[in-house]
Amino acid sequence: MKFQFDRNSMIKEISIAQEIIANKSPISILSNILLEARENTLTIKASDATVNYITKIPVEIYEEGTTTIYCDKFMRMLSTSPAGMIEFDQKDILVTIRPVSKKVKFQLKSIASDKFPEIEASENVPYFEVPAKEIKEMIAQTSFAVSDDGNRHFMMGVYFEKSDDNLIMVATDGRRLSYESKNIGQGIPDFPAAIVPTKILDCVLKNCSDEGNISIAVIDKMIFFKFGSYEFSSLLLEGEFPNYRRVIPQDLTRKFEVEKSDLEEALSRIGIMVDKNSTRIIFKLNPGQLTLISPESDVGNADEEIPCQYDGEEVMLAFNFKYIEEPLKKTDAKRIAFDFIDPNKAVILRTEPKSDYFHVIMTMNLN
């Protein structure tokens, strides 16, 4: 097996493979990438046994073949090599990697490709297409809210379903819920609701362009994403996702609005004094004014007043600091609204005017 490739082109593809690979042991086949050189095309595959990655790049092939090599060391060799063409030459189990413009060579032991896990082919998978920008927004507005509790693995992914002509994504950790519904499902065949691991969603979010469409398929226990020269697939999480519709509060009769920039800047300052154990922050509402307060701790406290559109009686609400901070980072809206009915019940954080997404946040005890 022998071929030449452009160093910069290869680095881009191998860096994505590194995102997939979880096992860093040099003796594990799952630490390796599979390389298959055929007809002046190099197919690259990576897997962690749950999430899979396939891409293809053009190369100049002198001898066709297939093998697997240790991804981490290969990436470090590429990173320290100069730009330009690099030669890959395999003899038995030994691979020689040589930058054409430098008198240096690396030698890396390979593992036979027949030990690499079979990655399910997607040629006959029933893909549907949706705008990439829309799906990326849905992922960004929900994936950060998944649970990190291994005992509730079914909440460690994003729930994905089609309802009428809407595609919906929902994530929750039991104390907050992030929801987005987009009317982009016209003509898309029904598919089974799925709980999608965040790892594959992060790969899509990071590597998919905002331009054009993305192809998606949900079949059996797998989900597939295809865009550009990339194919990603993943096993779905098993279990019964909570009935999110019952969690979304209705008939919220009270509301206040703030400028997003005002709230973000105040949070960044007040957050300096927020207790890292309780992570509690208090919102004190008065007509025309919102006061953000970090409760007294061993090191001190802080408060800040910002303008607020509100004309009701004085109200105090307590929140987990990060449940306010994280949604704000994901939105480009200029104004933020909070809908509520009682300081002890769930609040909806949303944009003003309303958009396709919102966040349900449970309040905390004031004391």
Side-chain angles (χ1 to χ4, degrees):
M1 182 179 182
K2 185 177 180 180
F3 59 89
Q4 285 190 1
F5 60 88
D6 176 71
R7 177 255 193 191
N8 291 344
S9 298
M10 183 68 80
I11 281 181
K12 180 182 177 183
E13 312 306 326
I14 302 306
S15 65
I16 299 174
Q18 283 192 310
E19 297 172 26
I20 301 297
I21 293 170
N23 192 328
K24 304 300 182 183
S25 168
I27 62 173
S28 168
I29 191 64
L30 291 180
S31 298
N32 284 25
I33 51 171
L34 184 143
L35 303 175
E36 183 178 7
R38 296 277 187 273
E39 300 177 352
N40 287 327
T41 298
L42 182 71
T43 300
I44 304 167
K45 298 182 180 181
S47 176
D48 69 354
T50 300
V51 177
N52 307 311
Y53 162 66
I54 304 174
T55 190
K56 296 182 179 182
I57 61 171
V59 295
E60 188 174 345
I61 297 176
Y62 302 101
E63 183 181 338
E64 295 185 342
T66 181
T67 192
T68 78
I69 58 171
Y70 184 29
C71 182
D72 185 64
K73 289 294 186 186
F74 185 44
M75 184 63 176
R76 291 168 69 181
M77 292 172 187
L78 296 177
S79 299
T80 58
S81 296
M85 298 302 290
I86 295 179
E87 183 179 88
F88 184 105
D89 188 6
Q90 181 184 18
K91 297 286 190 294
D92 295 323
I93 67 166
L94 199 61
V95 174
T96 300
I97 296 162
R98 181 186 297 110
V100 172
S101 64
K102 283 283 185 181
K103 292 183 178 180
V104 60
K105 69 177 181 181
F106 303 98
Q107 291 191 312
L108 191 60
K109 291 180 180 179
S110 63
I111 301 177
S113 57
D114 60 4
K115 293 180 170 57
F116 196 81
E118 186 71 26
I119 295 179
E120 187 170 338
S122 65
E123 286 81 1
N124 299 317
V125 167
Y127 281 105
F128 57 86
E129 290 194 353
V130 292
K133 185 176 182 180
E134 305 281 15
I135 286 295
K136 288 181 66 178
E137 180 187 288
M138 294 178 73
I139 295 170
Q141 290 297 337
T142 55
S143 61
F144 66 88
V146 301
S147 174
D148 59 3
D149 184 354
N151 293 320
R152 299 189 290 180
H153 63 278
F154 52 88
M155 290 168 59
M156 298 178 73
V158 175
Y159 187 73
F160 182 41
E161 71 171 354
K162 178 176 181 283
S163 178
D164 298 324
D165 286 338
N166 296 315
L167 293 184
I168 297 170
M169 285 191 181
V170 185
T172 182
D173 65 2
R175 298 294 301 174
R176 60 167 167 184
L177 180 145
S178 293
Y179 171 100
E180 179 151 14
S181 174
K182 283 190 174 291
N183 186 236
I184 55 174
Q186 299 91 335
I188 293 175
D190 291 340
F191 58 85
I195 307 175
V196 187
T198 54
K199 185 172 183 176
I200 190 171
L201 296 176
D202 289 343
C203 288
V204 172
L205 194 59
K206 183 175 180 179
N207 298 296
C208 184
S209 167
D210 287 349
E211 305 299 322
N213 291 337
I214 183 170
S215 299
I216 305 174
V218 180
I219 182 170
D220 298 328
K221 297 181 180 181
M222 298 284 294
I223 188 165
F224 297 83
F225 293 93
K226 185 163 63 173
F227 51 92
S229 62
Y230 303 134
E231 288 186 28
F232 293 92
S233 59
S234 174
L235 288 171
L236 298 170
L237 297 179
E238 296 184 355
E240 185 174 349
F241 197 80
N243 184 344
Y244 67 85
R245 290 180 175 86
R246 294 177 57 187
V247 176
I248 300 171
Q250 305 295 322
D251 302 323
L252 301 181
T253 56
R254 303 159 87 179
K255 180 181 81 168
F256 65 94
E257 294 179 29
V258 294
E259 291 288 327
K260 180 203 170 192
S261 58
D262 288 345
L263 182 56
E264 276 192 314
E265 291 170 11
L267 283 171
S268 69
R269 289 184 283 267
I270 301 303
I272 295 170
M273 301 303 293
V274 169
D275 189 297
K276 301 307 178 185
N277 293 319
S278 70
T279 66
R280 187 162 55 103
I281 188 168
I282 294 172
F283 282 18
K284 181 180 178 182
L285 276 170
N286 281 293
Q289 177 183 295
L290 170 63
T291 305
L292 282 70
I293 304 167
S294 71
E296 187 76 37
S297 70
D298 292 341
V299 295
N301 68 299
D303 64 77
E304 180 170 345
E305 296 176 1
I306 61 173
C308 172
Q309 184 176 324
Y310 175 72
D311 57 8
E313 61 185 14
E314 181 177 289
V315 176
M316 296 182 72
L317 305 103
F319 298 104
N320 183 312
F321 180 85
K322 77 171 185 175
Y323 289 179
I324 304 296
E325 182 185 47
E326 288 182 338
L328 291 181
K329 290 179 179 178
K330 304 299 181 179
T331 182
D332 295 326
K334 293 185 177 180
R335 286 189 68 79
I336 301 297
F338 291 77
D339 297 319
F340 68 105
I341 192 169
D342 183 274
N344 299 313
K345 294 185 178 179
V347 171
I348 287 183
L349 185 161
R350 60 173 177 82
T351 63
E352 181 59 44
K354 291 181 179 180
S355 56
D356 296 326
Y357 57 87
F358 59 80
H359 308 278
V360 179
I361 303 171
M362 297 295 293
T363 56
M364 300 177 73
N365 195 313
L366 281 165
N367 301 317

